[in-house]
Amino acid sequence: MATLVHSIPSISFLSSLTLQPLKIKTHKKSPSTSRSEPIKTLTCSTSKPNNKSPTMDGRKPTSKKTRKSSYGTSRRSVLKKTFIQEQVTFTSQLSSDPHVGIIGGGMAGLLCALSLEKRGVKSTVFDTGIHGLGGRMGTRVIDPQPLIFDHAAQFFTVSDPRFSELVDDWLEKGLVRQWQGIIGELEVGGRFLPFPSSTPRYISVNGMRSLADSILSQTCMVNVVRPCWISKLEPFNGMWHLSENGKPCGQFDIIVIAHNGKCANRLLASSGLPLIARQMKTLGLSSIWALLAAFEDPLPIPTGATPFEGAFVKGVDSLSWMGNNSAKLLGSKTNSPHCWTFFSTAAYGKRNKVPQENIPTATAEKVKTGMLEGVEAALGLPKDSLQQPIYSRVQLWGAALPTNTPGIPCIFDPHGRAGICGDWLLGSNLESAALSGMALANHIADYLRSGGARPEEFALGLNKEFQTLEGHDIGQFSGLESSTGASPIQAYQLST
């Protein structure tokens, strides 16, 4: 993603997380919706339905006949649904004991839940993870050896004082530690340039997923439901009703969307939240392949090069990062096997993109071969000289990194009582995700404290324009710079 991820410098409003409300203007079309139909308003009150086929808010259809949609689930049809749906407007009073539904258990969703609890608001987090929470904080463990791979976020850095306070707490609890291993830039042919060690780099002690699973370990007002894939949002009787393939999952005063990609777009396409759906649809995402490979022997380090644990690869079409998980997570505790995570470039991911839920065997083998050849080129090894891995697995992150961003902490629709948080709103890293979740939680708590009497004062980011991002293919890390004096780069992590 040399041209897709932006290096975000220190932003003055980020530390204070000051939220400037924006008024909703539904009577005018923004540039991003110039070809769409006007947004209609659908009021959701507390009245009971009086028809067996109610509209979303439980009212009987009045002016239009209900007919079965002919749309499929293609990007074009989802986009069409998004822009012709009616805007839900809640008019009922907020509950005295409000409950927030959070869809997505990555860093943003978890920190949103944690921050809501600190403000006295209960929440339920819905996550699709079978093995644990985390989103991009993914760790895969293969038994019986065991083999361990951080297969998304590799490490993180800290620049904001609010995030620093969190990290200090994690350090004290033994959840994270500084990564002292050598990392740097590896140029094609085997020339390695280490980064100075002045900027602290952090990792979770047992793989990144363990941090996600520990964040809510001591909460009492947060309920976690997983694995659960929320497939429908329905406003009725002043509440949001969530369901998974027809199975009710509860009702909530406010909902939070803490994930992105095509699944989030489909969920929002007919939710009654066209303003939020439009912003989510504006987000562009890259695709990146991950190759997890375990080797019996250490990889050969170029002659004269410093042994490294992680490297940003330059000049190789199929490879942008390589990281030694065994050395990073286990250190001197193990000698074999050696578990490496390799990431492709965004250009390679785009050329070889397939449905990530059903990767053809031929494509998987092609990608594996291409990326291992990239490892040989990066290390300056002769073709076909690299030892064959004793274990390997390819995975496509079809929605890896954002290619654009609105540059705001969060988005909130007070009329629809729904919000969005995620790292992409500020950039793409664990710190940005945490700050976004915290910001939205505080915004929601303030809205609840107001009683919802002045909704227009709490509208945030609904018409904010996006800006293009640029940077390294797997992101950038705040404070790191090469020995050549390159500019510092801001931390970015892969998204699922």
Side-chain angles (χ1 to χ4, degrees):
M1 281 171 282
T3 61
L4 300 184
V5 181
H6 178 55
S7 174
I8 298 187
S10 177
I11 303 175
S12 60
F13 71 83
L14 189 58
S15 296
S16 59
L17 296 178
T18 301
L19 307 179
Q20 298 296 328
L22 303 177
K23 293 187 177 181
I24 302 176
K25 298 181 180 180
T26 58
H27 61 286
K28 294 182 180 180
K29 299 179 184 179
S30 69
S32 62
T33 58
S34 59
R35 295 188 297 274
S36 64
E37 297 183 20
I39 295 174
K40 304 172 184 178
T41 301
L42 186 66
T43 302
C44 183
S45 64
T46 57
S47 60
K48 295 182 178 180
N50 55 10
N51 187 281
K52 292 183 179 181
S53 300
T55 56
M56 290 185 299
D57 66 339
R59 296 185 303 150
K60 181 179 179 180
T62 55
S63 59
K64 292 190 290 186
K65 294 182 180 180
T66 302
R67 63 184 179 86
K68 187 176 180 180
S69 171
S70 61
Y71 302 139
T73 57
S74 67
R75 177 178 175 84
R76 179 176 295 179
S77 66
V78 169
L79 186 64
K80 187 174 182 181
K81 289 180 184 177
T82 298
F83 292 144
I84 66 173
Q85 63 176 311
E86 295 175 292
Q87 169 72 43
V88 168
T89 297
F90 287 95
T91 58
S92 59
Q93 289 187 347
L94 290 163
S95 168
S96 59
D97 184 24
H99 194 176
V100 177
I102 301 173
I103 305 172
M107 178 66 82
L110 296 177
L111 263 295
C112 183
L114 184 65
S115 300
L116 283 171
E117 179 175 74
K118 291 179 179 179
R119 297 289 299 270
V121 180
K122 64 183 179 182
S123 65
T124 295
V125 176
F126 297 94
D127 190 70
T128 60
I130 297 175
H131 304 290
L133 297 165
R136 70 198 56 193
M137 294 186 288
T139 301
R140 187 176 296 276
V141 178
I142 309 299
D143 292 323
Q145 277 87 350
L147 309 176
I148 185 168
F149 303 90
D150 276 337
H151 63 118
Q154 300 294 288
F155 66 97
F156 62 92
T157 55
V158 178
S159 61
D160 185 275
R162 295 188 182 219
F163 187 57
S164 178
E165 184 178 346
L166 275 174
V167 175
D168 287 342
D169 182 59
W170 295 340
L171 285 166
E172 185 177 342
K173 293 177 179 177
L175 301 178
V176 302
R177 64 175 174 83
Q178 285 195 35
W179 183 20
Q180 303 291 353
I182 296 173
I183 70 169
E185 292 179 342
L186 180 63
E187 296 183 355
V188 61
R191 183 168 180 261
F192 179 75
L193 301 173
F195 290 159
S197 58
S198 57
T199 299
R201 307 182 302 271
Y202 299 93
I203 57 174
S204 181
V205 293
N206 295 312
M208 296 301 289
R209 189 181 297 281
S210 66
L211 173 59
D213 289 334
S214 301
I215 287 176
L216 300 181
S217 60
Q218 297 181 352
T219 57
C220 59
M221 297 179 67
V222 181
N223 182 36
V224 175
V225 180
R226 70 166 183 85
C228 179
W229 201 298
I230 297 299
S231 58
K232 194 170 187 179
L233 311 172
E234 292 184 290
F236 176 66
N237 269 6
M239 302 284 283
W240 280 106
H241 292 246
L242 276 56
S243 60
E244 179 186 24
N245 298 323
K247 176 185 176 181
C249 296
Q251 57 188 48
F252 304 89
D253 299 88
I254 293 175
I255 55 171
V256 169
I257 309 298
H259 72 121
N260 55 48
K262 64 181 181 181
C263 294
N265 291 335
R266 288 173 181 171
L267 182 63
L268 288 168
S270 58
S271 63
L273 297 167
L275 297 173
I276 279 185
R278 180 181 62 203
Q279 293 297 74
M280 186 69 83
K281 289 295 296 184
T282 304
L283 171 65
L285 295 162
S286 67
S287 298
I288 289 180
W289 284 94
L291 169 61
L292 313 182
F295 301 92
E296 189 68 36
D297 299 313
L299 293 187
I301 301 299
T303 303
T306 303
F308 60 85
E309 294 183 10
F312 293 92
V313 180
K314 299 174 63 177
V316 179
D317 175 66
S318 62
L319 199 66
S320 65
W321 165 266
M322 54 191 298
N324 188 335
N325 297 273
S326 300
K328 179 180 73 171
L329 298 174
L330 303 177
S332 59
K333 296 179 182 179
T334 182
N335 294 320
S336 179
H338 303 267
C339 301
W340 287 78
T341 295
F342 305 108
F343 289 127
S344 77
T345 63
Y348 188 84
K350 182 178 181 179
R351 288 198 310 273
N352 294 281
K353 187 175 182 179
V354 293
Q356 66 182 56
E357 302 86 359
N358 187 23
I359 299 174
T361 302
T363 300
E365 190 61 31
K366 173 186 175 183
V367 168
K368 172 186 171 182
T369 300
M371 293 185 68
L372 289 177
E373 289 177 351
V375 174
E376 290 177 333
L379 295 174
L381 303 176
K383 185 175 173 56
D384 299 326
S385 65
L386 184 68
Q387 60 180 299
Q388 288 300 303
I390 59 175
Y391 168 87
S392 65
R393 176 189 175 94
V394 294
Q395 177 177 348
L396 175 64
W397 296 106
L401 290 175
T403 62
N404 56 0
T405 178
I408 53 177
C410 57
I411 294 173
F412 187 67
D413 175 1
H415 292 290
R417 296 178 182 172
I420 305 176
C421 60
D423 60 349
W424 59 273
L425 290 158
L426 292 168
S428 185
N429 59 35
L430 294 183
E431 181 175 65
S432 292
L435 294 174
S436 178
M438 294 162 61
L440 181 56
N442 287 322
H443 195 65
I444 288 174
D446 290 342
Y447 169 75
L448 291 170
R449 187 173 58 185
S450 76
R454 307 179 308 278
E456 63 282 349
E457 295 182 12
F458 288 89
L460 182 69
L462 296 170
N463 297 302
K464 181 70 174 180
E465 294 185 359
F466 283 57
Q467 301 296 324
T468 301
L469 296 176
E470 297 180 354
H472 191 278
D473 281 34
I474 71 160
Q476 298 183 334
F477 295 78
S478 175
L480 295 185
E481 58 182 20
S482 69
S483 59
T484 60
S487 300
I489 52 179
Q490 175 79 23
Y492 282 81
Q493 320 291 354
L494 290 172
S495 61
T496 55

